[in-house]
Amino acid sequence: MSLFTRLLGALSLALILSAPARADQSPLFSDPTIATSGLALMNNYNSAFAAVASCNSGNSAPANLQAGAVAGMCWADTSLAGYIIMRDFDGVSWVERYRLDLANHVVAAPLGTGIGSLPAATTVDLCSTPRSSVTITGTVPITAFGGSCVQQGVLKVLNFTGSATLTYNATSLVLPGVGNITTAAGDTAIAQYLGSGNWRVISYQPASGSAVKNPAIPVCVKIDYMGFAANLPAGYVLGTGQALSRFSFPDYLACSTITVPGTLTNGSLVITGLPSTAELSVGMPVEGAGIQAGSTIASINSSTQITLNVSHTATLNGTQSLTIFAYGYGAGGDATTVGVPDCRGFKIAGRDPAASQLGAFSGLNVTKGAELHTMSAGELAAHTHGVTDPGHIHAITDPGHVHQAVQPTQTRNDGTQVLSTMSFGSSQNTSLAVTGITINSHTTGITINSFGSNTPFTVLDPTMSANCAVRVLP
């Protein structure tokens, strides 16, 4: 650094500290082609120092360097009444740094320093761009905002263009609501650097205008949404039995599963010692140490015991922590997903632990009923069928027969019996002769009426359709 430069800097600092700045854009050079007396040269220097001390104060950009303005040169712009606009030359333009409010004697500093753009990634280093506003594009889950900021307290205004999950961390990425946030296009946030690569999102505003977490409608609540599916509010999905990522929907995972202790016996399908089986249902997946992949509840044996599905015996002994999934893994899901209830076409009925209204309806995700039903004979009400008989005659068929007359006897006084004289004018006994005689059946005109066509009948109550929506994000 030249002696002149050091002298100029020292004098400038002295003038700044000792005397009030005055508007001055005097030349910052002395023309070497013009002969100048010592007094004139000193006056030139004093004028240059005044220009430096006042930061080239004036109502137009300074042009007081021999070679024109250079990058880093300052200008106290007085063109706006009531303000001094402090500007710096970046080699092309005069960039506003801040304003001095002359009426209120305060500094009005601009908060924005341009808008940068960074792609979503595991680590999005916000301070890798000098811009105060950063647009984050893409959908890759984000776990950190980087540590390249030069000091603590740096603020960044974030704008998201897609659905990326911000992963909550109590130290490195502190988020409102103390949980993950799934962004949506148009969502904005303000993040503050805490040092050592740690950040806190001090404000998050969904584009939908809803709260980050809505305490009035907790996660896992089902609503009947009367609008079109395309307009479904943020935080909800349609209940169609689909699979959701456990990583992206931790709050929903927490409320749709339960973790309980259970006692295992190596090689056995039976799990004992459960605190309660009241809300469990056949088919629910079971996970935990000593539980094979693909294990589900095959039967509920008692209030404390279940049996797993075939070929999924326990591989450990003793009490283990077990996680049970109310709605399974979802269609096409696996051990990385959690299922959403499929409420298409179903009304929701209260769980009935005591079977006071519906039998075998104590567990979650139990379904019963049908739209149509065909009655069986055993389901018919006891009844009789009437016979319609307009009157009829039974014909007699007689191939011919003979009645035998029986001659009576008389008993004498000495006890002997002799035949009496037959007299057909008096009543005599004849023997029966019915061989070959029949009474013919006669059904003409008699009908036994039949009813029914075996057609299924509806058992569906009057029902209106709507979209079944489940809240899966806070």
Side-chain angles (χ1 to χ4, degrees), residues 368-459:
K368 282 193 171 188
E371 179 184 2
L372 299 174
H373 177 70
T374 302
M375 295 182 68
S376 64
E379 294 171 329
L380 295 175
H383 64 283
T384 60
H385 290 274
V387 176
T388 301
D389 186 359
H392 64 280
I393 298 173
H394 289 278
I396 297 176
T397 301
D398 185 357
H401 65 280
V402 176
H403 290 275
Q404 181 180 2
V406 179
Q407 187 174 3
T409 60
Q410 290 182 342
T411 303
R412 293 178 177 178
N413 293 333
D414 60 3
T416 60
Q417 292 185 340
V418 295
L419 293 173
S420 300
T421 301
M422 295 183 65
S423 173
F424 290 99
S426 62
S427 175
Q428 302 295 330
N429 292 331
T430 60
S431 61
L432 296 176
V434 296
T435 302
I437 298 175
T438 59
I439 298 177
N440 300 330
S441 62
H442 185 93
T443 58
T444 302
I446 299 176
T447 59
I448 299 177
N449 301 324
S450 63
F451 297 94
S453 62
N454 210 37
T455 302
F457 60 91
T458 182
V459 292

Coordinates of all heavy atoms in Angstrom, one line a residue, residues 368-459:
K368 N -68.8 -54.9 8.7 CA -69.9 -55.8 8.7 C -71.0 -55.3 7.8 O -71.0 -54.1 7.5 CB -70.5 -55.9 10.1 CG -69.8 -56.9 11.0 CD -70.6 -57.2 12.3 CE -69.9 -58.3 13.1 NZ -70.8 -58.7 14.2
G369 N -71.9 -56.1 7.4 CA -73.0 -55.7 6.6 C -72.8 -55.8 5.1 O -71.7 -56.1 4.6
A370 N -73.9 -55.6 4.3 CA -73.8 -55.7 2.9 C -75.0 -54.9 2.3 O -76.0 -54.6 3.0 CB -73.9 -57.2 2.4
E371 N -74.8 -54.5 1.1 CA -75.9 -53.7 0.4 C -77.1 -54.5 0.2 O -78.2 -54.1 0.4 CB -75.4 -53.1 -0.9 CG -76.4 -52.3 -1.6 CD -75.9 -51.8 -3.0 OE1 -74.8 -52.1 -3.3 OE2 -76.7 -51.1 -3.6
L372 N -76.9 -55.8 -0.3 CA -78.0 -56.7 -0.6 C -77.9 -58.0 0.2 O -76.8 -58.4 0.6 CB -78.0 -57.0 -2.1 CG -78.2 -55.8 -3.1 CD1 -78.0 -56.3 -4.5 CD2 -79.5 -55.1 -2.9
H373 N -79.1 -58.6 0.4 CA -79.1 -59.9 1.1 C -80.2 -60.8 0.5 O -81.3 -60.3 0.3 CB -79.4 -59.7 2.6 CG -79.5 -60.9 3.4 ND1 -78.4 -61.7 3.7 CD2 -80.6 -61.5 4.0 CE1 -78.8 -62.8 4.4 NE2 -80.1 -62.7 4.6
T374 N -79.9 -62.1 0.3 CA -80.9 -63.1 -0.1 C -81.2 -64.0 1.1 O -80.4 -64.6 1.7 CB -80.3 -63.9 -1.2 OG1 -80.0 -63.1 -2.3 CG2 -81.4 -64.9 -1.7
M375 N -82.5 -64.0 1.5 CA -82.9 -64.7 2.6 C -82.9 -66.2 2.4 O -83.1 -66.7 1.3 CB -84.3 -64.4 3.0 CG -84.5 -62.9 3.5 SD -86.2 -62.5 4.1 CE -86.3 -63.6 5.5
S376 N -82.5 -67.0 3.4 CA -82.5 -68.5 3.3 C -83.9 -68.9 4.0 O -84.6 -68.1 4.6 CB -81.4 -69.0 4.1 OG -81.5 -68.7 5.5
A377 N -84.2 -70.2 3.8 CA -85.4 -70.7 4.4 C -85.5 -70.6 5.9 O -86.5 -70.3 6.5 CB -85.6 -72.2 4.0
G378 N -84.3 -70.8 6.5 CA -84.3 -70.6 8.0 C -84.5 -69.2 8.5 O -84.8 -69.0 9.6
E379 N -84.4 -68.2 7.6 CA -84.6 -66.8 8.0 C -86.0 -66.4 7.8 O -86.4 -65.3 8.1 CB -83.7 -65.9 7.2 CG -82.2 -66.1 7.5 CD -81.3 -65.4 6.5 OE1 -81.7 -65.2 5.4 OE2 -80.2 -65.0 7.0
L380 N -86.9 -67.3 7.2 CA -88.3 -66.9 7.0 C -89.1 -66.9 8.3 O -88.8 -67.7 9.2 CB -88.9 -67.9 6.0 CG -88.4 -67.9 4.6 CD1 -89.1 -69.0 3.8 CD2 -88.6 -66.5 3.9
A381 N -90.0 -66.0 8.4 CA -90.9 -66.1 9.6 C -91.8 -67.3 9.6 O -92.2 -67.7 8.5 CB -91.7 -64.8 9.7
A382 N -92.0 -67.9 10.8 CA -92.9 -69.0 10.8 C -94.3 -68.6 10.3 O -94.9 -67.6 10.7 CB -93.0 -69.5 12.3
H383 N -94.9 -69.5 9.4 CA -96.2 -69.1 8.8 C -96.9 -70.4 8.2 O -96.3 -71.5 8.2 CB -96.0 -68.1 7.7 CG -95.2 -68.7 6.5 ND1 -93.8 -68.8 6.6 CD2 -95.6 -69.1 5.3 CE1 -93.4 -69.4 5.4 NE2 -94.4 -69.5 4.6
T384 N -98.2 -70.3 7.9 CA -98.9 -71.4 7.2 C -99.4 -70.9 5.9 O -99.5 -69.7 5.6 CB -100.1 -71.8 8.1 OG1 -101.0 -70.6 8.3 CG2 -99.7 -72.3 9.5
H385 N -99.7 -71.9 5.0 CA -100.2 -71.6 3.7 C -101.7 -72.0 3.7 O -102.1 -73.2 4.1 CB -99.5 -72.4 2.6 CG -98.1 -71.9 2.4 ND1 -97.9 -70.9 1.5 CD2 -96.9 -72.3 2.9 CE1 -96.6 -70.6 1.5 NE2 -96.0 -71.5 2.3
G386 N -102.6 -71.2 3.3 CA -104.1 -71.5 3.2 C -104.3 -72.4 2.0 O -103.6 -72.4 1.0
V387 N -105.4 -73.3 2.1 CA -105.9 -74.1 1.0 C -107.2 -73.6 0.4 O -108.1 -73.3 1.2 CB -106.1 -75.6 1.5 CG1 -106.6 -76.4 0.4 CG2 -104.8 -76.1 2.1
T388 N -107.2 -73.4 -0.8 CA -108.4 -73.0 -1.5 C -109.2 -74.2 -2.1 O -108.6 -74.9 -2.9 CB -108.0 -72.0 -2.7 OG1 -107.3 -70.9 -2.2 CG2 -109.3 -71.5 -3.4
D389 N -110.4 -74.5 -1.6 CA -111.2 -75.6 -2.0 C -112.6 -75.1 -2.4 O -113.4 -74.8 -1.5 CB -111.3 -76.6 -0.9 CG -112.0 -77.9 -1.3 OD1 -112.4 -78.0 -2.5 OD2 -112.1 -78.8 -0.5
P390 N -112.9 -75.1 -3.7 CA -114.2 -74.6 -4.1 C -115.3 -75.6 -3.9 O -116.5 -75.4 -4.1 CB -114.0 -74.3 -5.6 CG -112.9 -75.2 -6.0 CD -112.0 -75.4 -4.8
G391 N -115.0 -76.8 -3.3 CA -116.0 -77.9 -3.1 C -115.7 -79.0 -4.1 O -115.3 -78.8 -5.3
H392 N -115.8 -80.3 -3.7 CA -115.4 -81.4 -4.6 C -116.1 -82.7 -4.1 O -116.7 -82.8 -3.1 CB -113.9 -81.6 -4.6 CG -113.4 -82.1 -3.3 ND1 -113.1 -81.2 -2.2 CD2 -113.0 -83.3 -2.8 CE1 -112.6 -81.8 -1.2 NE2 -112.6 -83.1 -1.5
I393 N -116.1 -83.7 -5.0 CA -116.8 -85.0 -4.8 C -115.8 -86.1 -5.0 O -115.0 -86.1 -5.9 CB -118.0 -85.2 -5.7 CG1 -119.1 -84.2 -5.5 CG2 -118.6 -86.7 -5.6 CD1 -120.2 -84.2 -6.5
H394 N -115.7 -87.1 -4.1 CA -114.9 -88.3 -4.3 C -115.7 -89.4 -5.0 O -116.7 -89.8 -4.5 CB -114.4 -88.8 -2.9 CG -113.4 -87.9 -2.3 ND1 -112.1 -87.8 -2.6 CD2 -113.6 -86.9 -1.3 CE1 -111.5 -86.9 -1.8 NE2 -112.4 -86.3 -1.1
A395 N -115.3 -89.9 -6.1 CA -116.0 -91.0 -6.8 C -115.7 -92.3 -6.1 O -114.6 -92.4 -5.5 CB -115.6 -91.0 -8.2
I396 N -116.6 -93.3 -6.2 CA -116.4 -94.6 -5.6 C -116.3 -95.6 -6.7 O -117.1 -95.6 -7.7 CB -117.6 -95.0 -4.7 CG1 -117.7 -94.0 -3.5 CG2 -117.4 -96.4 -4.2 CD1 -118.9 -94.3 -2.6
T397 N -115.3 -96.4 -6.7 CA -115.1 -97.5 -7.6 C -115.5 -98.8 -7.0 O -114.9 -99.2 -5.9 CB -113.6 -97.6 -8.1 OG1 -113.3 -96.3 -8.7 CG2 -113.4 -98.7 -9.1
D398 N -116.5 -99.6 -7.5 CA -117.0 -100.8 -7.0 C -117.0 -101.9 -8.0 O -117.9 -101.9 -9.0 CB -118.4 -100.7 -6.4 CG -118.9 -101.9 -5.6 OD1 -118.2 -102.9 -5.6 OD2 -120.0 -101.8 -5.1
P399 N -116.0 -102.8 -8.0 CA -116.0 -103.9 -9.1 C -117.1 -104.9 -8.9 O -117.2 -105.8 -9.7 CB -114.6 -104.5 -8.9 CG -114.3 -104.2 -7.5 CD -115.0 -102.9 -7.1
G400 N -118.0 -104.8 -7.8 CA -119.0 -105.8 -7.5 C -118.7 -106.5 -6.2 O -117.5 -106.9 -6.0
H401 N -119.7 -106.7 -5.4 CA -119.5 -107.4 -4.1 C -120.8 -108.1 -3.6 O -121.8 -107.8 -4.1 CB -118.9 -106.4 -3.0 CG -120.0 -105.4 -2.7 ND1 -120.2 -104.3 -3.5 CD2 -120.8 -105.3 -1.6 CE1 -121.2 -103.5 -2.9 NE2 -121.5 -104.1 -1.7
V402 N -120.6 -109.0 -2.6 CA -121.8 -109.8 -2.1 C -121.8 -109.6 -0.6 O -120.7 -109.7 0.0 CB -121.7 -111.3 -2.5 CG1 -122.8 -112.1 -1.9 CG2 -121.7 -111.4 -4.0
H403 N -123.0 -109.4 -0.1 CA -123.1 -109.4 1.4 C -123.7 -110.8 1.8 O -124.7 -111.2 1.3 CB -124.1 -108.3 1.8 CG -123.6 -106.9 1.7 ND1 -122.8 -106.3 2.6 CD2 -123.7 -106.0 0.6 CE1 -122.4 -105.1 2.2 NE2 -123.0 -104.9 1.0
Q404 N -123.1 -111.5 2.7 CA -123.6 -112.8 3.2 C -124.6 -112.6 4.3 O -124.3 -111.9 5.3 CB -122.4 -113.6 3.6 CG -122.8 -115.0 4.1 CD -121.6 -115.8 4.6 OE1 -120.5 -115.3 4.6 NE2 -121.8 -117.0 5.0
A405 N -125.7 -113.3 4.2 CA -126.7 -113.2 5.2 C -126.4 -114.2 6.3 O -126.0 -115.3 6.0 CB -128.1 -113.5 4.7
V406 N -126.6 -113.9 7.5 CA -126.3 -114.7 8.6 C -127.6 -115.2 9.2 O -128.4 -114.4 9.7 CB -125.4 -114.0 9.7 CG1 -125.1 -115.0 10.9 CG2 -124.1 -113.5 9.1
Q407 N -127.9 -116.6 9.1 CA -129.1 -117.2 9.7 C -129.1 -117.2 11.2 O -128.1 -117.8 11.7 CB -129.4 -118.6 9.1 CG -130.8 -119.1 9.5 CD -131.0 -120.5 8.8 OE1 -130.2 -121.0 8.1 NE2 -132.3 -121.0 9.0
P408 N -130.0 -116.7 11.9 CA -129.9 -116.7 13.3 C -130.3 -118.0 13.9 O -130.9 -118.9 13.3 CB -131.0 -115.6 13.7 CG -132.0 -115.6 12.6 CD -131.2 -115.9 11.3
T409 N -129.9 -118.3 15.1 CA -130.2 -119.5 15.8 C -131.1 -119.2 17.0 O -131.1 -118.1 17.5 CB -128.9 -120.2 16.3 OG1 -128.2 -119.3 17.2 CG2 -128.0 -120.5 15.1
Q410 N -131.7 -120.3 17.5 CA -132.6 -120.2 18.7 C -132.1 -121.3 19.7 O -131.6 -122.3 19.3 CB -134.1 -120.5 18.4 CG -134.7 -119.4 17.5 CD -136.2 -119.7 17.3 OE1 -136.7 -120.9 17.4 NE2 -136.9 -118.7 16.9
T411 N -132.3 -121.0 21.0 CA -131.9 -121.9 22.0 C -133.1 -122.5 22.7 O -134.0 -121.8 23.1 CB -131.0 -121.2 23.1 OG1 -129.9 -120.6 22.4 CG2 -130.6 -122.2 24.1
R412 N -133.2 -123.9 22.7 CA -134.3 -124.5 23.3 C -134.1 -124.5 24.8 O -133.1 -124.1 25.4 CB -134.4 -126.0 22.9 CG -134.7 -126.1 21.4 CD -134.7 -127.6 21.0 NE -135.1 -127.8 19.6 CZ -135.2 -128.9 19.0 NH1 -134.9 -130.1 19.7 NH2 -135.5 -129.0 17.7
N413 N -135.2 -125.0 25.4 CA -135.2 -125.1 26.9 C -134.1 -126.0 27.4 O -133.6 -125.8 28.6 CB -136.6 -125.4 27.4 CG -137.6 -124.3 27.1 OD1 -137.3 -123.2 27.0 ND2 -138.9 -124.7 27.0
D414 N -133.8 -127.1 26.7 CA -132.8 -128.0 27.1 C -131.4 -127.5 26.8 O -130.5 -128.2 27.0 CB -133.1 -129.4 26.5 CG -133.1 -129.4 25.0 OD1 -132.8 -128.3 24.4 OD2 -133.3 -130.4 24.4
G415 N -131.3 -126.3 26.2 CA -130.0 -125.7 26.0 C -129.5 -126.0 24.6 O -128.4 -125.5 24.2
T416 N -130.1 -126.7 23.8 CA -129.7 -126.9 22.4 C -130.1 -125.8 21.5 O -131.0 -125.1 21.8 CB -130.2 -128.2 21.8 OG1 -131.7 -128.1 21.8 CG2 -129.8 -129.4 22.7
Q417 N -129.2 -125.5 20.5 CA -129.5 -124.4 19.5 C -129.9 -125.0 18.2 O -129.4 -126.0 17.7 CB -128.2 -123.6 19.3 CG -127.8 -122.8 20.5 CD -126.6 -121.9 20.2 OE1 -125.9 -122.2 19.3 NE2 -126.4 -120.9 21.1
V418 N -130.9 -124.3 17.6 CA -131.4 -124.7 16.3 C -131.5 -123.5 15.4 O -131.6 -122.4 15.9 CB -132.8 -125.4 16.4 CG1 -132.7 -126.7 17.2 CG2 -133.8 -124.5 17.0
L419 N -131.5 -123.6 14.1 CA -131.6 -122.5 13.2 C -133.0 -122.0 13.2 O -133.9 -122.7 13.2 CB -131.2 -122.9 11.7 CG -129.7 -123.3 11.5 CD1 -129.5 -123.9 10.1 CD2 -128.8 -122.1 11.8
S420 N -133.0 -120.7 13.1 CA -134.3 -120.0 13.1 C -134.8 -119.9 11.6 O -133.9 -119.9 10.7 CB -134.3 -118.6 13.7 OG -133.9 -118.7 15.1
T421 N -136.0 -119.6 11.5 CA -136.5 -119.4 10.1 C -136.2 -118.0 9.7 O -136.4 -117.1 10.4 CB -138.0 -119.6 10.1 OG1 -138.3 -121.0 10.6 CG2 -138.6 -119.5 8.7
M422 N -135.5 -117.9 8.5 CA -135.1 -116.5 8.0 C -136.3 -115.8 7.5 O -137.1 -116.4 6.8 CB -134.0 -116.6 6.9 CG -132.7 -117.3 7.4 SD -131.5 -117.3 6.1 CE -131.3 -115.6 5.8
S423 N -136.4 -114.6 7.8 CA -137.4 -113.7 7.3 C -136.8 -112.4 6.8 O -136.2 -111.7 7.6 CB -138.5 -113.5 8.4 OG -139.4 -112.5 7.9
F424 N -136.9 -112.2 5.5 CA -136.3 -110.9 5.0 C -137.1 -109.7 5.2 O -136.7 -108.6 4.9 CB -136.0 -111.1 3.5 CG -134.9 -112.1 3.2 CD1 -135.2 -113.4 2.9 CD2 -133.5 -111.7 3.4 CE1 -134.2 -114.3 2.6 CE2 -132.6 -112.7 3.1 CZ -132.8 -113.9 2.7
G425 N -138.2 -109.9 5.8 CA -139.0 -108.7 6.1 C -138.5 -108.1 7.4 O -139.0 -107.0 7.8
S426 N -137.7 -108.8 8.1 CA -137.3 -108.3 9.4 C -135.8 -108.0 9.3 O -135.1 -108.4 8.4 CB -137.5 -109.3 10.5 OG -136.8 -110.5 10.3
S427 N -135.2 -107.2 10.2 CA -133.8 -106.8 10.2 C -133.0 -108.1 10.5 O -133.2 -108.7 11.6 CB -133.6 -105.7 11.2 OG -132.2 -105.4 11.3
Q428 N -132.0 -108.3 9.6 CA -131.1 -109.4 9.8 C -129.7 -108.9 9.7 O -129.4 -107.9 9.0 CB -131.4 -110.5 8.7 CG -132.8 -111.0 8.8 CD -133.1 -111.8 10.0 OE1 -132.2 -112.4 10.6 NE2 -134.4 -111.8 10.5
N429 N -128.8 -109.6 10.3 CA -127.4 -109.2 10.2 C -126.8 -109.7 8.9 O -127.1 -110.8 8.5 CB -126.6 -109.8 11.3 CG -126.9 -109.2 12.7 OD1 -127.3 -108.0 12.7 ND2 -126.8 -110.0 13.7
T430 N -125.9 -108.9 8.2 CA -125.2 -109.3 7.0 C -123.7 -109.0 7.3 O -123.3 -108.1 8.0 CB -125.6 -108.5 5.8 OG1 -125.4 -107.1 6.0 CG2 -127.1 -108.8 5.5
S431 N -122.8 -109.8 6.7 CA -121.4 -109.6 6.9 C -120.9 -108.5 5.9 O -121.5 -108.3 4.9 CB -120.6 -110.9 6.7 OG -120.9 -111.4 5.3
L432 N -119.8 -107.9 6.3 CA -119.2 -106.8 5.5 C -118.5 -107.4 4.3 O -118.0 -108.5 4.3 CB -118.1 -106.0 6.3 CG -118.7 -105.2 7.5 CD1 -117.5 -104.6 8.2 CD2 -119.7 -104.2 7.0
A433 N -118.5 -106.7 3.2 CA -117.8 -107.1 1.9 C -117.4 -105.8 1.2 O -118.1 -105.2 0.5 CB -118.8 -107.9 1.0
V434 N -116.1 -105.4 1.5 CA -115.5 -104.2 1.0 C -114.4 -104.4 0.1 O -113.8 -103.5 -0.4 CB -115.1 -103.2 2.2 CG1 -116.3 -102.9 3.0 CG2 -114.1 -103.9 3.0
T435 N -114.0 -105.6 -0.1 CA -112.8 -105.9 -1.0 C -113.1 -105.3 -2.4 O -114.1 -105.6 -3.0 CB -112.6 -107.4 -1.1 OG1 -112.4 -107.9 0.2 CG2 -111.4 -107.8 -2.0
G436 N -112.0 -104.5 -2.9 CA -112.1 -104.0 -4.2 C -112.8 -102.6 -4.3 O -112.7 -102.0 -5.3
I437 N -113.4 -102.2 -3.2 CA -114.1 -100.9 -3.3 C -113.1 -99.8 -2.9 O -112.4 -99.8 -1.9 CB -115.3 -100.8 -2.3 CG1 -116.3 -101.9 -2.7 CG2 -115.9 -99.4 -2.3 CD1 -117.5 -102.0 -1.7
T438 N -112.9 -98.7 -3.7 CA -112.0 -97.6 -3.5 C -112.8 -96.3 -3.6 O -113.7 -96.2 -4.4 CB -110.8 -97.6 -4.5 OG1 -111.4 -97.5 -5.8 CG2 -110.0 -98.8 -4.4
I439 N -112.3 -95.2 -2.8 CA -112.8 -93.9 -3.0 C -111.7 -93.1 -3.7 O -110.6 -92.9 -3.2 CB -113.1 -93.3 -1.6 CG1 -114.1 -94.1 -0.9 CG2 -113.5 -91.8 -1.8 CD1 -114.4 -93.6 0.5
N440 N -112.0 -92.6 -4.9 CA -111.0 -92.0 -5.7 C -110.6 -90.6 -5.2 O -111.5 -89.9 -4.6 CB -111.5 -91.8 -7.1 CG -111.8 -93.2 -7.8 OD1 -111.2 -94.2 -7.5 ND2 -112.8 -93.2 -8.7
S441 N -109.3 -90.2 -5.3 CA -108.9 -88.8 -4.9 C -109.5 -87.8 -5.9 O -109.7 -88.1 -7.1 CB -107.4 -88.7 -4.9 OG -106.8 -89.0 -6.2
H442 N -109.6 -86.6 -5.4 CA -110.2 -85.6 -6.3 C -109.5 -84.2 -5.9 O -109.7 -83.7 -4.9 CB -111.7 -85.5 -6.1 CG -112.3 -84.5 -7.1 ND1 -112.9 -84.9 -8.3 CD2 -112.5 -83.2 -7.0 CE1 -113.4 -83.8 -8.9 NE2 -113.2 -82.8 -8.1
T443 N -108.7 -83.7 -6.9 CA -107.9 -82.4 -6.6 C -108.3 -81.3 -7.5 O -107.8 -80.2 -7.5 CB -106.4 -82.7 -6.7 OG1 -106.1 -83.2 -8.0 CG2 -105.9 -83.7 -5.7
T444 N -109.2 -81.6 -8.4 CA -109.6 -80.5 -9.3 C -110.2 -79.3 -8.6 O -111.1 -79.4 -7.8 CB -110.7 -81.1 -10.3 OG1 -110.2 -82.2 -10.9 CG2 -111.1 -80.0 -11.3
G445 N -109.5 -78.1 -8.9 CA -109.9 -76.9 -8.3 C -109.2 -76.5 -7.0 O -109.4 -75.4 -6.5
I446 N -108.5 -77.5 -6.4 CA -107.8 -77.3 -5.1 C -106.4 -76.7 -5.4 O -105.7 -77.3 -6.2 CB -107.7 -78.5 -4.3 CG1 -109.1 -79.1 -3.9 CG2 -106.9 -78.3 -3.0 CD1 -109.1 -80.4 -3.2
T447 N -106.0 -75.6 -4.8 CA -104.7 -75.0 -5.0 C -104.1 -74.6 -3.7 O -104.8 -74.1 -2.8 CB -104.7 -73.7 -5.9 OG1 -105.6 -72.8 -5.3 CG2 -105.2 -74.1 -7.3
I448 N -102.7 -74.8 -3.6 CA -101.9 -74.3 -2.4 C -101.0 -73.2 -3.0 O -100.1 -73.5 -3.8 CB -101.1 -75.4 -1.7 CG1 -102.1 -76.5 -1.2 CG2 -100.3 -74.8 -0.6 CD1 -101.4 -77.6 -0.6
N449 N -101.3 -72.0 -2.7 CA -100.6 -70.8 -3.3 C -99.1 -70.8 -2.8 O -98.8 -71.0 -1.7 CB -101.3 -69.5 -3.0 CG -102.7 -69.5 -3.4 OD1 -103.0 -70.1 -4.5 ND2 -103.6 -68.9 -2.6
S450 N -98.2 -70.4 -3.7 CA -96.7 -70.2 -3.4 C -96.4 -68.8 -3.7 O -97.0 -68.1 -4.5 CB -95.9 -71.1 -4.2 OG -96.0 -70.9 -5.6
F451 N -95.3 -68.3 -2.9 CA -94.9 -66.9 -3.1 C -93.4 -66.8 -3.1 O -92.7 -67.7 -2.6 CB -95.5 -66.0 -1.9 CG -97.0 -66.0 -1.9 CD1 -97.7 -66.9 -1.1 CD2 -97.6 -65.0 -2.6 CE1 -99.1 -66.8 -1.0 CE2 -99.0 -65.0 -2.6 CZ -99.7 -65.8 -1.8
G452 N -92.9 -65.7 -3.6 CA -91.4 -65.4 -3.5 C -90.7 -65.7 -4.8 O -91.1 -66.6 -5.6
S453 N -89.6 -65.0 -5.1 CA -88.8 -65.2 -6.3 C -87.3 -65.3 -6.0 O -86.5 -65.3 -6.9 CB -89.0 -64.0 -7.2 OG -88.5 -62.8 -6.6
N454 N -86.9 -65.4 -4.7 CA -85.5 -65.5 -4.3 C -84.7 -64.3 -4.7 O -83.5 -64.4 -4.9 CB -84.9 -66.8 -4.9 CG -83.8 -67.3 -4.0 OD1 -83.9 -67.2 -2.7 ND2 -82.8 -67.9 -4.6
T455 N -85.3 -63.1 -4.9 CA -84.5 -61.9 -5.3 C -83.9 -61.3 -4.1 O -84.6 -61.0 -3.1 CB -85.5 -61.0 -6.0 OG1 -86.1 -61.6 -7.1 CG2 -84.7 -59.7 -6.4
P456 N -82.6 -60.9 -4.1 CA -82.0 -60.2 -3.0 C -82.7 -58.9 -2.7 O -83.2 -58.2 -3.6 CB -80.6 -60.0 -3.4 CG -80.3 -61.0 -4.5 CD -81.6 -61.1 -5.2
F457 N -82.8 -58.5 -1.5 CA -83.4 -57.2 -1.1 C -82.3 -56.3 -0.4 O -81.4 -56.8 0.1 CB -84.6 -57.4 -0.2 CG -84.3 -58.1 1.1 CD1 -83.9 -57.3 2.2 CD2 -84.3 -59.4 1.2 CE1 -83.6 -57.9 3.4 CE2 -84.0 -60.1 2.4 CZ -83.6 -59.3 3.5
T458 N -82.5 -55.0 -0.5 CA -81.5 -54.1 0.0 C -81.7 -53.9 1.5 O -82.8 -54.0 2.1 CB -81.7 -52.7 -0.7 OG1 -80.7 -51.8 -0.1 CG2 -83.0 -52.1 -0.4
V459 N -80.5 -53.8 2.2 CA -80.5 -53.6 3.6 C -79.8 -52.3 3.9 O -79.4 -52.0 5.0 CB -79.8 -54.7 4.4 CG1 -80.7 -56.0 4.3 CG2 -78.4 -55.0 3.8

